[in-house]
């Protein structure tokens, strides 16, 4: 049993430097945030600008008023150890914890269990730390819904110690990319939802509230049970897939391209999955800003599709005006994404008039074979996410269960729900404040998926700052300055 009392005297003063950036901070590290942890990864770090302890302010914030920025390192639904202040291995700039300290936030980084907890693995994904998991003595306790349970437990730890921890515990902002973006969306959507209570009890989480102030989500890979249909709705006409595998090398992460073609059987499955999508969208009852219904006809065309493409058009328009991706994010933008060279976009006097949707999809290319998420071989990250300590992997759609090549079974409906933020919007203390980004060239999930999340939130009265930054692939943390400006506007 761990004591959940924060000790304000247990810290080290550290300095992190990179080029012109330097920050001296108090590091409260390796704090176990639940009384009965199932894994060594369940610890959190709290970082505070040292200047706050001599009564100084940064950006108008002080020791007790600073928002608490809460980044996670979950990628690929794998374990995400608590971030440490340092350098981002992808862009070799200060990581989000470092940037947040420079900006005057308190930073809380929680270590989160994942599908590889209790297993040895070398896999890694965008947003992750790339550290090899060597721990194989533990149970596989990190499968669904562990990631959100751990985040909630860490949030509860902060509230439990509201008087003694640095920062304002009513201003917690979660941030993550990809599966970590899904985790951030879950934290935002499911505040105080009673459905997680038994899991929180099992790890001895503090009995406190776990709602948050704001959620920042980069390319959240979520709504998994509808992601396969959404994927084929967008990519059915594209038979060639272009995967990217990440491997760690001594020089840092390496990307290895894998190209393949859908088999005849997969093309048939693609058509069936695409055909499932309109019924799902139509049942959501989504509306645009003018109250017009967003629907799809059987052939996949309709106002919802126009609405999705309107975000692509807005992205292209912004890039045409600012060239922001080309200028500021040239290292990250997909080669060939230069806005001046997109033949499928019709401009009239520098205004986007029309985008040929099929040609845009061809341009960004299909990444995954069919089904994209619920693999018939049970070999996708998401299949593992729905496994547990006894069963390695499960399906999470009736479709894949029916077509399973390995006689796979499907996870419980309740478990699938616990991993889907869209199911909780407005059903509990969903946060009011959302910022969602998904690169316009990101093919890890269909752009319909973040559009659905955004629209569901907006339709229920939540505030969403949503954009598809031009030319960007599956990635996150590329516009922290804008993210922090958004947080400051809300917090002040
Ligand atoms: C991630 C990427 C994926 O394509 C996926 O299916 C799940 C997770 C990720 O980068 O976290």
């Amino acid at each position: 049993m761990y004591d959940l009392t924060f000790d304000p005297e247990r810290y080290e003063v550290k300095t992190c430097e990179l080029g012109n950036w330097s920050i001296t901070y108090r590091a409260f590290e390796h704090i176990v945030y639940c009384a009965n942890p199932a894994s060594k990864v369940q610890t959190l770090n709290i970082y505070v600008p040292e200047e706050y302890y001599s009564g100084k302010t940064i950006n108008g914030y002080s020791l007790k008023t600073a928002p608490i920025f809460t980044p996670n390192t979950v990628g690929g639904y794998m374990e995400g150890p608590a971030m440490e202040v340092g350098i981002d291995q992808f862009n070799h700039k200060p990581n989000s914890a470092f940037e947040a300290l420079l900006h005057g936030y308190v930073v809380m980084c929680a270590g989160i269990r994942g599908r590889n907890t209790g297993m040895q693995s070398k896999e890694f994904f965008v947003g992750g730390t790339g550290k090899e998991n060597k721990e194989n003595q533990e149970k596989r306790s990190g499968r669904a819904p562990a990631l959100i349970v751990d985040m909630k437990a860490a949030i509860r730890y902060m509230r439990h110690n509201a008087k003694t921890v640095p920062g304002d515990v009513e201003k917690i902002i979660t941030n993550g990319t990809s599966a970590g973006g899904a985790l951030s969306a879950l934290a935002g959507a499911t505040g105080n939802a009673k459905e997680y209570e038994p899991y929180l009890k099992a790890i001895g989480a503090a009995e406190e509230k776990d709602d948050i102030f704001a959620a920042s989500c980069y390319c959240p890979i979520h709504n998994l049970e509808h992601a396969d249909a959404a994927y084929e709705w967008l990519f059915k006409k594209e038979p060639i897939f272009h995967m990217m595998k990440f491997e760690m090398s001594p020089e840092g992460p390496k990307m290895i391209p894998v190209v393949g073609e859908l088999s005849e059987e997969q093309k048939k499955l693609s058509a069936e999955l695409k055909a499932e999508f309109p019924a799902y969208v139509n049942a959501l009852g989504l509306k645009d800003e003018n109250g017009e219904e967003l629907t799809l006809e059987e052939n996949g065309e309709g106002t919802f599709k126009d609405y999705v493409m309107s975000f692509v058009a807005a992205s292209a328009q912004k890039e045409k005006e600012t060239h922001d991706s080309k200028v500021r994010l040239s290292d990250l933008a997909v080669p060939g994404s230069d806005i001046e060279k997109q033949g499928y976009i019709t401009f009239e006097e520098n205004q986007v008039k029309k985008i040929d949707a099929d040609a845009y999809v061809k341009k960004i290319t299909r990444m995954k074979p069919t089904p994209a998420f619920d693999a018939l071989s049970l070999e996708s990250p998401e299949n593992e996410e729905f496994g547990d300590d006894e069963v390695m992997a499960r399906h999470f759609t009736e479709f894949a269960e029916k077509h399973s090549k390995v006689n796979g079974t499907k996870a419980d409906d309740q478990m699938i729900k616990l991993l889907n933020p869209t199911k909780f919007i407005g059903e509990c203390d969903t946060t009011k404040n959302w910022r969602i980004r998904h690169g316009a060239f990101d093919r890890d999930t269909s752009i319909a998926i973040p559009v659905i999340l955004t629209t569901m939130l907006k339709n229920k009265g939540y505030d969403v700052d949503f954009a598809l930054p031009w030319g960007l692939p599956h990635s996150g943390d590329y516009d922290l300055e804008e993210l922090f400006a958004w947080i400051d506007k809300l917090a002040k």
Side-chain angles (χ1 to χ4, degrees):
M1 281 286 265
Y2 286 82
D3 179 7
L4 300 183
T5 311
F6 176 70
D7 180 356
E9 301 305 325
R10 227 197 84 204
Y11 65 86
E12 276 179 67
V13 176
K14 297 187 176 181
T15 297
C16 190
E17 281 178 18
L18 177 72
N20 293 332
W21 299 284
S22 171
I23 182 92
T24 299
Y25 56 98
R26 239 170 238 207
F28 303 84
E29 292 178 308
H30 317 300
I31 301 170
V32 178
Y33 57 70
C34 52
N36 301 309
S39 164
K40 290 194 186 97
V41 81
Q42 291 170 296
T43 65
L44 61 78
N45 300 333
I46 300 172
Y47 299 112
V48 195
E50 180 62 23
E51 290 192 348
Y52 284 163
Y53 291 94
S54 52
K56 293 210 178 86
T57 61
I58 303 175
N59 274 323
Y61 298 121
S62 62
L63 183 62
K64 284 311 288 180
T65 65
I68 302 176
F69 185 70
T70 299
N72 72 69
T73 68
V74 171
Y77 284 96
M78 299 199 302
E79 189 168 288
M83 190 184 281
E84 292 167 24
V85 178
I87 312 303
D88 183 300
Q89 55 179 339
F90 280 92
N91 63 19
H92 310 289
K93 289 190 187 143
N95 65 15
S96 63
F98 190 167
E99 289 278 13
L101 278 182
L102 290 167
H103 194 80
Y105 299 141
V106 166
V107 182
M108 187 274 272
C109 310
I112 303 287
R113 288 172 294 165
R115 65 184 164 89
N116 60 337
T117 294
M119 285 161 65
Q120 280 179 311
S121 71
K122 278 189 165 175
E123 273 181 279
F124 95 102
F125 284 73
V126 169
T129 60
K131 278 190 197 153
E132 186 178 343
N133 189 14
K134 295 200 174 107
E135 177 60 71
N136 62 355
Q137 303 300 312
E138 300 176 343
K139 285 197 164 194
R140 290 200 308 255
S141 71
R143 307 304 180 79
L147 82 170
I148 179 60
V149 172
D150 286 357
M151 184 58 83
K152 284 175 178 293
I155 293 162
R156 287 173 172 214
Y157 176 92
M158 297 300 279
R159 275 225 175 76
H160 192 62
N161 294 287
K163 290 211 172 70
T164 49
V165 288
D168 179 352
V169 299
E170 296 310 320
K171 298 244 164 60
I172 291 178
I173 303 103
T174 57
N175 181 58
T177 297
S178 195
L183 172 55
S184 186
L186 278 164
T190 68
N192 307 326
K194 60 184 183 322
E195 287 87 338
Y196 300 93
E197 207 51 57
Y199 302 96
L200 287 157
K201 266 214 161 57
I203 59 167
E207 290 187 17
E208 300 282 346
K209 289 169 130 194
D210 53 54
D211 57 310
I212 59 168
F213 178 66
S216 160
C217 316
Y218 289 97
C219 51
I221 299 283
H222 70 290
N223 202 351
L224 300 173
E225 65 269 38
H226 299 109
D228 287 331
Y231 207 79
E232 301 312 323
W233 172 73
L234 197 67
F235 291 110
K236 175 177 170 289
K237 287 183 184 160
E238 297 305 315
I240 311 289
F241 56 89
H242 305 256
M243 307 252 280
M244 206 50 101
K245 278 205 150 87
F246 291 97
E247 245 177 41
M248 213 30 162
S249 74
E251 301 85 55
K254 247 180 40 198
M255 298 207 269
I256 303 155
V258 182
V259 179
E261 182 167 6
L262 297 191
S263 65
E264 288 312 310
E265 185 193 4
Q266 285 172 320
K267 287 179 190 167
K268 209 170 134 259
L269 296 174
S270 168
E272 287 176 37
L273 281 167
K274 180 184 172 185
E276 279 188 0
F277 194 56
Y280 168 61
V281 168
N282 295 343
L284 292 174
L286 302 176
K287 295 204 165 82
D288 72 8
E289 284 73 8
N290 303 318
E292 302 292 337
E293 283 180 16
L294 300 169
T295 58
L296 291 175
E297 296 153 33
E298 262 178 45
N299 64 4
E301 300 297 319
T303 50
F304 176 78
K305 184 170 177 184
D306 301 340
Y307 190 61
V308 169
M309 288 308 296
S310 77
F311 290 103
V312 180
S315 165
Q317 183 65 44
K318 183 170 177 217
E319 181 66 7
K320 184 82 177 170
E321 290 166 14
T322 64
H323 294 96
D324 187 45
S325 295
K326 185 181 170 182
V327 175
R328 196 171 53 92
L329 299 169
S330 60
D331 290 351
L332 182 62
V334 173
S337 63
D338 188 331
I339 193 68
E340 306 302 341
K341 296 187 182 138
Q342 310 303 309
Y344 52 89
I345 307 180
T346 313
F347 290 98
E348 274 173 30
E349 297 185 358
N350 291 334
Q351 296 295 307
V352 176
K353 279 292 157 213
K354 197 172 164 299
I355 298 187
D356 177 337
D358 285 350
Y360 157 72
V361 170
K362 187 180 264 320
K363 173 75 190 180
I364 68 170
T365 72
R366 169 196 282 271
M367 173 187 173
K368 297 176 175 182
T370 314
F373 294 87
D374 196 348
L376 305 186
S377 60
L378 280 182
E379 284 175 330
S380 76
E382 291 78 8
N383 291 131
E384 278 196 4
E385 178 62 10
F386 284 109
D388 53 34
D389 198 44
E390 271 123 49
V391 178
M392 180 53 89
R394 289 193 179 89
H395 293 296
F396 44 94
T397 62
E398 275 172 28
F399 184 89
E401 186 186 35
K402 190 172 92 189
H403 295 280
S404 184
K405 303 277 188 205
V406 289
N407 245 327
T409 57
K410 184 167 158 277
D412 282 350
D413 287 343
Q414 177 68 6
M415 191 61 85
I416 297 168
K417 176 183 168 180
L418 291 178
L419 227 63
N420 189 339
T422 69
K423 302 282 181 193
F424 288 86
I425 299 168
E427 302 295 319
C428 51
D429 297 324
T430 303
T431 185
K432 186 167 183 347
N433 305 313
W434 292 79
R435 188 174 190 272
I436 302 171
R437 291 291 182 272
H438 178 103
F441 280 50
D442 186 337
R443 324 92 14 101
D444 277 60
T445 194
S446 167
I447 46 171
I449 292 293
V451 169
I452 288 171
L453 174 62
T454 296
T455 313
M456 289 180 79
L457 286 163
K458 282 189 180 169
N459 287 177
K460 291 194 175 166
Y462 298 92
D463 291 340
V464 192
D465 178 329
F466 176 57
L468 306 171
W470 185 258
L472 298 196
H474 193 59
S475 51
D477 291 354
Y478 39 72
D479 57 353
L480 291 174
E481 217 173 296
E482 286 168 54
L483 169 61
F484 293 170
W486 176 78
I487 293 171
D488 291 344
K489 217 168 126 198
L490 296 171
K492 283 181 181 168

